[in-house]
């Protein structure tokens, strides 16, 4: 597992896919004809705790979702430029943003828990990540790539080095 922290309140890590992703890639990304070799987890620090649904938390979640889609697209384009397939999943719906959706949704919170081992808390029928530093003030997003982890890691680092929040 590779893990890097950026002072702008973003953490990311690159992992090999879980059995769930490898087994269900056809249901997640029906147009893909290649295996998923890398899973990118991006965590953004939220200025407010997300355990309670308020107007303020919903505003921040929308802002963080837009940011994750923005830099996720840059990562996807970088990997596609190198000849790989890559996709960002919408944190709100669990469906791919750039590809045709399949019959399964990707549960980003479950992916984070399985990959990083962070505990979850249940609130209002939703599971929320409990980050070791940020508590439940964390917004996750997940990308999948057909590139192997070192290539994916290099692409993410290159994009993050130019990204400003």
């Amino acid at each position: 597992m590779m893990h890097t922290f950026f002072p702008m309140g973003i953490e990311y890590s690159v992992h090999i896919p879980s059995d769930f992703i490898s087994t269900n890639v056809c249901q997640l990304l029906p147009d893909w004809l290649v295996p998923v070799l890398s899973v990118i987890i991006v965590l953004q620090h939220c200025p407010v705790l997300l355990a309670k649904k308020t107007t303020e938390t919903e505003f921040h979640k929308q802002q963080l979702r837009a940011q994750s889609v923005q830099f996720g697209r840059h990562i996807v384009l970088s990997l596609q430029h190198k000849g790989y397939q890559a996709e960002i999943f919408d944190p709100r719906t669990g469906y791919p943003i750039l590809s045709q959706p399949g019959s399964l949704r990707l549960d980003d919170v479950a992916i984070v828990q399985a990959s990083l081992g962070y505990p979850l808390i249940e609130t209002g029928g939703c599971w929320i990540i409990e980050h070791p530093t940020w508590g439940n003030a964390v917004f996750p997003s997940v990308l999948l790539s057909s590139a192997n982890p070192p290539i994916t890691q290099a692409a993410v680092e290159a994009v993050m080095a130019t990204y400003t929040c």
Side-chain angles (χ1 to χ4, degrees), residues 3-80:
H3 188 85
T4 303
F5 171 76
F6 287 88
M8 63 188 85
I10 298 175
E11 290 183 2
Y12 80 88
S13 53
V14 178
H15 307 265
I16 60 170
S18 65
D19 289 341
F20 173 82
I21 291 173
S22 297
T23 303
N24 294 294
V25 69
C26 293
Q27 286 82 23
L28 294 165
L29 296 163
D31 293 339
W32 277 35
L33 301 175
V34 295
V36 172
L37 299 180
S38 297
V39 176
I40 307 157
I41 295 172
V42 179
L43 302 176
Q44 296 179 82
H45 183 237
C46 184
V48 298
L49 296 176
L50 297 176
K52 293 182 181 173
K53 188 173 183 172
T54 66
T55 304
E56 185 180 19
T57 60
E58 292 306 305
F59 169 78
H60 286 292
K61 286 196 296 190
Q62 287 305 321
Q63 260 192 335
L64 294 170
R65 178 183 173 270
Q67 279 181 199
S68 69
V69 169
Q70 180 186 12
F71 61 73
R73 285 181 189 265
H74 290 294
I75 294 166
V76 167
L77 289 172
S78 173
L79 288 164
Q80 287 175 341

Side-chain angles (χ1 to χ4, degrees), residues 138-153:
V138 60
F139 187 85
S141 58
V142 174
L143 295 89
L144 302 181
S145 170
S146 68
N148 65 38
I151 291 169
T152 301
Q153 176 82 18

